């Protein structure tokens, strides 16, 4: 396994996992890199390279990868068995959508509490996760050794929330607010930008239309 | 400008645009690749390569890129001036969040209508976008030459909705349902998978913690 794994590879691993689990559920035992490449719309060399970064067990000639083994390797590599505790700040529509997302637990993320400043929703639960007052966020983070802060507040509050989270001890920020936030060097930050995905889709659509002319 | 631009570069271009627009608003005229690299947490070679794929106007020695010109080039490259019409299916919390997202218009995406099967919300408007009955979706797509379908329904309905959208004539599907959907080869598909982003963040956090031991 290589020491350095690119972000693109990391982003693709959940898709392999998803495809492999579907195969396993159908009773299949082996998957070839060519099958996976076709299903996931990637090239075969890429598939072999990606899988080699997460698993030592290479595919066998003619049979391919042993699915069960490959799933375990990818999960171990991604740290799915290790639970990272997170808090979410900003229970608007996006925050609510994230609280309801079932897939996080499979990847070892547990959102233990949500926070908002809207008093009318304090005390409510969404999918079993309680919404609390912002004023209690530091205690929650410290007492529970929370490592990840998820930000789903409007853009103008994002930096302030990030500062609070970092001050309370989180090590990583997952920012969904449509603005860039600044964090100290030792803090991990992942900015989600819907426009990024849209840019890819839109450009590919444009190329396609131009090629058809 | 190169003919082939990688997905990663396309995904980064909106972040450059965002950074450049912030600089322009502050009254700055030039941006160097080293500044941009630092702000966006990328390496300088990558920045120069990314920008070269979208713009012919290279940075000038000692001064850098002319911001206004670079913004225009990136926008032109991404097709921001060209409007793609879209419909959104599934007005739950994620659908509502996307309808409320202001950034899409900057990238040429116009969501003209939303659809849901929940009768109690039919006729409502979210951020000015009307929610209509699913039964009218084909007519809307055909009459308005809608090119993009955004899917925010629960996983079990996603394939059915995709089939309907494609049958009605959309050319691209942006799928937020946590499942893979199958589309004919000529249709573009972009699957969003929150777990992908989480995998990156979570792995980096794990590496960080192990390095600190």
């Amino acid at each position: 396994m290589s020491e350095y794994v690119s972000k693109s590879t990391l982003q693709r691993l959940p898709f392999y996992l998803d495809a492999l689990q579907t195969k396993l559920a159908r009773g299949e035992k082996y998957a070839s890199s060519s099958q996976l490449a076709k299903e996931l719309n990637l090239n075969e060399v890429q598939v072999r390279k990606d899988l080699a970064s997460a698993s030592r067990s290479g595919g066998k000639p003619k049979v391919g990868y042993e699915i069960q083994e490959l799933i375990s390797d990818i999960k171990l590599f991604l740290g799915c068995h290790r639970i990272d505790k997170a808090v979410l700040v900003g229970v608007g529509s996006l925050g609510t959508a994230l609280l309801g997302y079932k897939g996080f637990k499979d990847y070892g993320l547990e959102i233990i509490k949500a926070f908002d400043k809207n008093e009318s929703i304090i005390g409510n639960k969404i999918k079993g996760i309680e919404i609390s007052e912002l004023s209690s966020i530091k205690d929650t983070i410290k007492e529970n050794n929370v490592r990840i802060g998820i930000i789903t507040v409007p853009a103008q509050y994002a930096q302030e929330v990030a500062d609070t989270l970092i001050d309370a001890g989180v090590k990583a920020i997952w920012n969904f607010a449509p603005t860039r936030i600044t964090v100290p060097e030792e803090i991990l930050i992942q900015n989600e930008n819907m426009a990024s995905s849209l840019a890819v889709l839109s450009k590919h659509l444009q190329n396609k239309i131009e090629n058809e002319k």
Side-chain angles (χ1 to χ4, degrees), chain A:
Chain A
M1 287 179 283
S2 53
E3 279 300 299
Y4 174 76
V5 175
S6 77
K7 191 174 160 183
S8 311
T9 296
L10 280 173
Q11 285 176 325
R12 280 190 294 268
L13 288 173
F15 287 97
Y16 291 111
L17 209 47
D18 187 27
L20 291 165
Q21 279 165 336
T22 307
K23 284 175 184 297
L24 190 69
R26 281 200 303 253
E28 297 173 32
K29 285 200 171 152
Y30 292 94
S32 69
S33 49
S34 65
Q35 276 168 7
L36 286 167
K38 208 178 161 193
E39 281 182 36
L40 297 173
N41 204 13
L42 297 166
N43 82 59
E44 216 180 313
V45 177
Q46 184 73 71
V47 170
R48 281 197 293 264
K49 213 179 136 194
D50 284 345
L51 296 178
S53 64
S55 170
R56 272 204 188 92
S57 50
K60 293 180 191 100
K62 293 194 184 163
V63 224
Y65 297 90
E66 215 260 281
I67 294 179
Q68 183 83 70
E69 196 182 351
L70 192 52
I71 290 175
S72 303
D73 285 352
I74 297 176
K75 282 190 160 182
L76 188 67
F77 178 77
L78 289 176
C80 299
H81 306 285
R82 202 178 34 97
I83 296 290
D84 279 319
K85 287 184 187 163
V87 291
L88 179 143
V89 188
V91 190
S93 46
L94 183 58
T96 303
L98 290 178
L99 291 175
Y101 186 72
K102 289 175 197 135
F104 291 148
K105 269 211 174 136
D106 293 342
Y107 290 90
L109 184 82
E110 188 195 1
I111 303 178
I112 63 162
K113 229 176 209 186
F115 295 88
D116 204 283
K117 61 175 190 180
N118 176 358
E119 285 182 15
S120 69
I121 60 169
I122 305 292
N124 290 0
K125 281 189 177 183
I126 293 179
K127 307 274 167 179
I129 301 163
E130 197 187 328
I131 306 169
S132 299
E133 275 184 74
L134 255 179
S135 59
S136 64
I137 196 166
K138 284 196 181 181
D139 291 339
T140 302
I141 290 171
K142 283 179 184 161
E143 283 161 20
N144 297 279
N145 195 17
V146 170
R147 285 210 183 114
I148 299 180
I150 304 173
I151 300 180
T152 45
V153 298
Q156 67 266 36
Y157 305 115
Q159 183 66 55
E160 192 188 328
V161 167
D163 295 343
T164 307
L165 288 165
I166 293 164
D167 191 37
V170 307
K171 302 292 176 215
I173 299 272
W174 197 7
N175 175 39
F176 288 85
T179 184
R180 280 176 308 137
I181 43 189
T182 315
V183 299
E185 215 170 312
E186 70 275 16
I187 301 294
L188 290 172
I189 178 147
Q190 171 133 331
N191 286 296
E192 294 299 320
N193 186 338
M194 291 296 176
S196 280
S197 299
L198 181 60
V200 177
L201 189 70
S202 174
K203 183 65 188 173
H204 286 173
L205 188 59
Q206 184 184 341
N207 289 347
K208 200 173 128 58
I209 289 164
E210 277 163 12
N211 289 337
E212 281 168 4
K213 269 178 194 162

